[in-house]
Amino acid sequence: MTQDELKQAVARAAIDYVVDGAIIGVGTGSTANFFIDELGKIKHRIKGAVASSEATAARLKTHGIAVFDLNDVDSMPVYIDGADEITDQGAMIKGGGAALTREKIVASVAKQFVCIADGSKLVNMLGKFPLPVEVIPMAHMAVARQLSALGGEPRLRMKEGKPLMTDNGCVIIDVNGLQIADPEEMEARINNIVGVVTVGLFALRGADIALLGTAEGVKRMEFR
């Protein structure tokens, strides 16, 4: 199976976690896009969705799915999103699609986080994938120096020759060379650096369930 076929398989499997009549949280990225396309087939069953990015909101709307502002939603039964890496403890690196802050916010409101990914994203230790850190623009050099002190190799993410700007008007520093043995400690430590909006470690609030696409089918892992 191709990587896209694996992503489609987990997207279809994630439909089982959609709660009828509810508003659900929807993530950002290629795997989340496959899920949105599947969600469009059952849109009559849900009230709508909260999007973790402008791109996700636009894709939901093309399927005729109502998009709600998170400020108007008290709680959600489930948040469904992909991951760049995930461990067998449910800790993740996210942010390859530059939506880490909004993803973390929407996930914090949901009762359950279902991670959907192809099986290659399952790792023993986080850090091979560059760790994204969203940063206030004026602070990116100061933050980069502190990330270097942690043993990483920070690099400002660029797009078309300019710093990539997030939906929040911030920039992203990608940190290479980290071996993250204690994701919760690292998440708290980086989040405490002045100028950081949030780090793309989802460990303090990790996944509850992972659906991983493999050649043998969809593998389900439960963490909490």
Side-chain angles (χ1 to χ4, degrees):
M1 296 177 71
T2 67
Q3 192 174 43
D4 279 353
E5 287 171 335
L6 295 174
K7 291 177 180 180
Q8 286 177 325
V10 295
R12 287 192 294 269
I15 293 297
D16 290 343
Y17 296 87
V18 172
V19 177
D20 287 358
I23 297 172
I24 65 167
V26 181
T28 297
S30 59
T31 311
N33 284 342
F34 283 117
F35 172 69
I36 294 168
D37 295 343
E38 292 297 324
L39 191 62
K41 300 173 184 177
I42 62 156
K43 62 185 178 183
H44 60 281
R45 286 174 40 190
I46 62 171
K47 185 175 180 181
V50 172
S52 63
S53 67
E54 298 298 335
T56 290
R59 196 177 187 98
L60 286 164
K61 289 174 182 176
T62 64
H63 285 285
I65 298 170
V67 177
F68 288 80
D69 188 301
L70 185 62
N71 291 310
D72 298 324
V73 177
D74 294 328
S75 67
M76 294 178 293
V78 67
Y79 175 68
I80 297 174
D81 197 3
D84 298 304
E85 288 184 341
I86 184 169
T87 70
D88 60 6
Q89 301 297 311
M92 296 169 285
I93 284 181
K94 294 175 49 57
L100 56 155
T101 298
R102 295 192 185 193
E103 289 171 345
K104 190 170 283 191
I105 292 169
V106 179
S108 73
V109 178
K111 294 178 181 177
Q112 187 177 59
F113 188 142
V114 177
C115 173
I116 54 176
D118 67 85
S120 69
K121 303 299 174 64
L122 182 64
V123 298
N124 293 322
M125 183 181 294
L126 299 175
K128 185 175 181 180
F129 188 92
L131 177 64
V133 183
E134 187 162 353
V135 178
I136 301 295
M138 69 170 291
H140 78 84
M141 288 302 296
V143 171
R145 287 192 290 271
Q146 295 203 50
L147 294 172
S148 293
L150 295 178
E153 300 169 8
R155 180 177 297 175
L156 187 64
R157 190 182 299 185
M158 307 294 287
K159 183 178 182 181
E160 298 176 352
K162 298 179 180 180
L164 180 146
M165 302 299 293
T166 70
D167 288 345
N168 307 311
C170 297
V171 297
I172 290 180
I173 295 173
D174 291 310
V175 189
N176 287 280
L178 293 176
Q179 291 188 320
I180 306 171
D182 188 339
E184 291 189 5
E185 190 274 338
M186 183 67 79
E187 181 177 356
R189 190 170 182 178
I190 295 177
N191 276 340
N192 280 332
I193 296 174
V194 175
V196 168
V197 178
T198 199
V199 61
L201 278 169
F202 286 58
L204 294 169
R205 200 284 182 250
D208 298 296
I209 292 169
L211 302 175
L212 303 176
T214 73
E216 292 74 38
V218 175
K219 177 182 178 181
R220 183 182 185 275
M221 300 176 70
E222 188 168 347
F223 308 108
R224 292 167 173 80

